[in-house]
C-alpha cells in the first residue's frame, strides 16, 4: 500500500516480515473454488491469529470442517474450538529432513490447497 504521511497509520500497516507497508485480508475458498469469506483489510502489523479472531471467520466454521493453510498460519487452537481441523504442510524445524510419510502427505495437501 502507499505509505501514509500520518505516523500512526504508517506504523499500523508496516509489516516486519515484508519490510513494507501492507494490508492483510483473510480469504477463504470452498473445495469447488467459490469464495466463501473475505475479511475487512487489516494493517500488516496484525497477526494472522488476531485477524481470524476479529474478522468473524470462526463463526462460519462448522463441526467437521477442514481448513487448509500455509504452515505459518498458526491458528490451530482457534480452529479446534469449532471442532474443525487445520491442516498444514509439514516442515523440518530443527530436523535435517522430513519423513517419507510427511513428504507424501505434504505433497497431497499442497496439490489440493493450491
Amino acid at each position: 500500500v502507499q505509505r501514509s504521511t500520518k505516523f500512526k497509520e504508517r506504523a499500523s500497516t508496516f509489516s516486519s516480515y515484508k519490510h513494507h507497508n501492507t494490508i492483510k485480508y483473510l480469504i477463504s475458498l470452498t473445495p469447488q473454488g467459490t469464495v466463501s469469506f473475505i475479511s475487512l483489510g487489516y494493517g500488516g502489523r496484525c497477526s494472522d491469529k488476531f485477524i481470524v479472531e476479529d474478522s468473524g471467520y470462526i463463526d462460519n466454521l462448522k463441526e467437521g470442517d477442514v481448513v487448509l493453510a500455509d504452515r505459518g498460519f498458526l491458528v490451530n487452537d482457534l480452529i479446534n474450538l469449532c471442532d474443525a481441523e487445520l491442516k498444514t504442510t509439514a516442515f523440518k524445524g530443527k530436523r535435517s529432513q522430513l519423513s517419507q510419510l510427511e513428504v507424501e502427505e505434504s505433497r497431497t495437501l499442497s496439490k489440493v490447497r493450491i
Side-chain angles (χ1 to χ4, degrees), residues 20-76:
H20 293 290
N21 291 80
T22 62
I23 296 176
K24 292 180 176 182
Y25 293 89
L26 175 62
I27 301 172
S28 179
L29 305 170
T30 67
Q32 296 77 20
T34 305
V35 175
S36 60
F37 182 84
I38 301 177
S39 72
L40 297 174
Y42 289 84
R45 181 160 284 201
C46 288
S47 70
D48 294 339
K49 189 170 189 171
F50 174 79
I51 294 170
V52 169
E53 286 176 312
D54 188 70
S55 67
Y57 176 70
I58 295 292
D59 299 335
N60 293 319
L61 293 178
K62 297 180 183 122
E63 182 180 339
D65 281 351
V66 176
V67 177
L68 306 179
D70 289 331
R71 65 176 173 233
F73 199 64
L74 305 174
V75 295
N76 205 10

Side-chain angles (χ1 to χ4, degrees), residues 46-111:
C46 288
S47 70
D48 294 339
K49 189 170 189 171
F50 174 79
I51 294 170
V52 169
E53 286 176 312
D54 188 70
S55 67
Y57 176 70
I58 295 292
D59 299 335
N60 293 319
L61 293 178
K62 297 180 183 122
E63 182 180 339
D65 281 351
V66 176
V67 177
L68 306 179
D70 289 331
R71 65 176 173 233
F73 199 64
L74 305 174
V75 295
N76 205 10
D77 53 336
L78 298 174
I79 304 297
N80 288 340
L81 288 174
C82 302
D83 292 322
E85 180 181 2
L86 177 67
K87 288 194 175 247
T88 59
T89 54
F91 59 100
K92 294 187 314 184
K94 294 183 180 183
R95 302 176 292 168
S96 61
Q97 67 183 30
L98 299 173
S99 71
Q100 185 61 36
L101 178 62
E102 288 173 317
V103 169
E104 290 174 25
E105 287 177 350
S106 291
R107 281 187 185 146
T108 302
L109 189 60
S110 291
K111 287 179 186 176

